[in-house]
Amino acid sequence: MNTRHLIPVALLTLTCAAAHAGDAPRWWCPLTAPSPAHANDAVVTDALAHLDAQPHPMAHVHTQGLLPHQGIHDASDEAERDWPLALRAAVAWRLSGKPELLQQTARYLDAWANTYQPDFNPIDETNLANLFQAYALTRDALPAATRNAMATLIHRIAEGYLARLQAKAGSTYINDINNWQSHRIKLLAVSAAALSDPPLIAAARERLLLQVAANIRPDGRTVDFAQRDALHYVTYDLEPLVQAALALSPYGKDNLLEARSSTGSSIAAALDWLEPYAEGRRAHQEFVHTSEPFDIERQKAGLKGYGGTWDPRNSAALYAQAAVLLPKYRALSGQLGSAPPVLQACALSPERK
């Protein structure tokens, strides 16, 4: 294994008490205690298989609106693979307690925190939430320099997106109410929760409910479905809203998936609207009446998922995460497929129910 960038193990040793320090970010599920019994869990073995991998940080990434091989799409796509690797390593460390997995997490966090410059394009940056979750799971065990650098980056993201959300308040421009806005709110919410910052958390809760009112009709249909005629974009819109609700859930007593907006709409109603499609009782031909020219470009380029019948398995991650706050979706989640790796850190994950 390449040890050039390894952090001394003494700096990364963690006891359970340190992992649950009072000022640590609150997590949205009961976390499984580290144990050798988890050594063969899939997420642990996968993370261990990537111990030799090195980060590929970029100052800027950009894939939104680009087809493969256009501009910096491919370089960005490769670099962004670091983000779920960091999260998988953090989850695997929480399960197993193996210090080399904490070292791997810290290596990725340090590389990106000291390189990345936010552009505040929510489509390009939405998956940065993986890094922020990795930070939240490991914060108190990280070297001070890495912890501080990550906190600075997360603050920049949170404050930048909040400023943009405030500036767009009341706008009816489509990208200010469709999935773009949902991803902005997700980035604000996950950042605020990772920082355990009360003013940012309050702002994220407010903006989430404003988006539910603007984006979801009382019957559960989303703006994105009307715009794109695709369940692909229903899930792409609802996933960030569910992730925002999850991140904020430890900081309030209400269930933000069930919370009613000023129009009577809710995320739960949208999940209920999608449910018959996810169960396979209804089918939908994707993008037949889309109003977005880029969807047609992707169809012509042969990109998977931009035509034909929608595959219910594309909602597996959505319903697995929703089931944390809405247990009625556990059975559907189990039918759809494996849960996202981050859920495997939960004591009550689908694999451990």
Side-chain angles (χ1 to χ4, degrees):
M1 182 175 68
N2 187 336
T3 60
R4 182 178 47 170
H5 298 292
L6 291 185
I7 298 163
V9 172
L11 292 175
L12 298 172
T13 301
L14 176 67
T15 65
C16 289
H20 297 285
D23 59 350
R26 301 176 194 173
W27 199 250
W28 37 263
C29 68
L31 291 169
T32 300
S35 168
H38 297 303
N40 294 321
D41 285 11
V43 70
V44 176
T45 57
D46 178 76
L48 289 172
H50 288 88
L51 282 180
D52 288 332
Q54 295 299 317
H56 301 87
M58 295 176 66
H60 303 278
V61 297
H62 183 50
T63 58
Q64 177 268 319
L66 298 177
L67 293 173
H69 315 313
Q70 290 181 341
I72 63 168
H73 179 286
D74 294 359
S76 299
D77 185 61
E78 181 179 1
E80 288 181 33
R81 294 174 194 170
D82 286 357
W83 304 346
L85 282 177
L87 180 55
R88 281 176 175 267
V91 171
W93 170 72
R94 290 301 308 232
L95 290 172
S96 68
K98 291 180 177 291
E100 61 267 35
L101 293 170
L102 185 58
Q103 292 173 340
Q104 183 190 36
T105 307
R107 186 163 64 247
Y108 278 92
L109 296 181
D110 196 52
W112 280 92
N114 288 292
T115 303
Y116 190 69
Q117 300 298 318
D119 290 320
F120 301 103
N121 178 320
I123 308 306
D124 288 336
E125 295 181 335
T126 186
N127 290 324
L128 277 172
N130 288 301
L131 284 186
F132 302 164
Q133 289 177 318
Y135 165 86
L137 285 170
T138 60
R139 195 203 68 162
D140 289 318
L142 295 171
T146 303
R147 183 169 61 246
N148 293 338
M150 274 301 299
T152 297
L153 174 61
I154 296 171
H155 267 291
R156 288 184 65 190
I157 290 287
E159 292 167 359
Y161 276 104
L162 178 56
R164 284 156 178 80
L165 288 164
Q166 291 170 333
K168 296 172 182 294
S171 170
T172 58
Y173 174 62
I174 189 63
N175 282 1
D176 294 341
I177 59 175
N178 68 3
N179 67 87
W180 282 61
Q181 192 80 332
S182 296
H183 287 280
R184 291 184 186 105
I185 289 162
K186 164 193 160 180
L187 285 161
L188 170 59
V190 174
S191 299
L195 296 169
S196 200
D197 185 302
L200 287 173
I201 288 166
R205 289 173 60 88
E206 177 187 14
R207 296 294 157 180
L208 176 61
L209 289 176
L210 288 172
Q211 173 66 350
V212 172
N215 181 270
I216 302 174
R217 297 174 181 173
D219 69 357
R221 297 191 186 210
T222 64
V223 163
D224 298 83
F225 186 69
Q227 180 190 7
R228 313 301 276 270
D229 189 24
L231 298 181
H232 172 104
Y233 272 96
V234 175
T235 59
Y236 191 64
D237 178 55
L238 294 180
E239 280 186 16
L241 295 179
V242 169
Q243 290 168 20
L246 275 179
L248 298 172
S249 62
Y251 297 95
K253 295 181 180 180
D254 55 332
N255 186 334
L256 288 171
L257 296 187
E258 296 179 317
R260 295 284 176 179
S261 73
S262 60
T263 66
S265 62
S266 69
I267 300 170
L271 292 165
D272 288 345
W273 181 88
L274 181 63
E275 185 177 14
Y277 297 98
E279 291 177 333
R281 292 186 286 113
R282 299 187 66 181
H284 184 264
Q285 295 298 309
E286 294 286 84
F287 298 99
V288 174
H289 302 294
T290 181
S291 61
E292 172 55 56
F294 189 51
D295 294 339
I296 307 304
E297 286 186 47
R298 289 184 285 196
Q299 284 181 342
K300 292 178 178 178
L303 269 63
K304 185 178 179 180
Y306 289 92
T309 305
W310 182 71
D311 185 347
R313 290 173 296 181
N314 291 330
S315 62
L318 172 65
Y319 282 102
Q321 292 172 98
V324 176
L325 297 179
L326 294 174
K328 71 175 184 176
Y329 288 126
R330 286 179 182 170
L332 175 57
S333 172
Q335 295 168 14
L336 289 170
S338 300
V342 68
L343 288 180
Q344 295 182 36
C346 297
L348 298 176
S349 71
E351 288 79 6
R352 299 191 173 89
K353 290 193 296 228

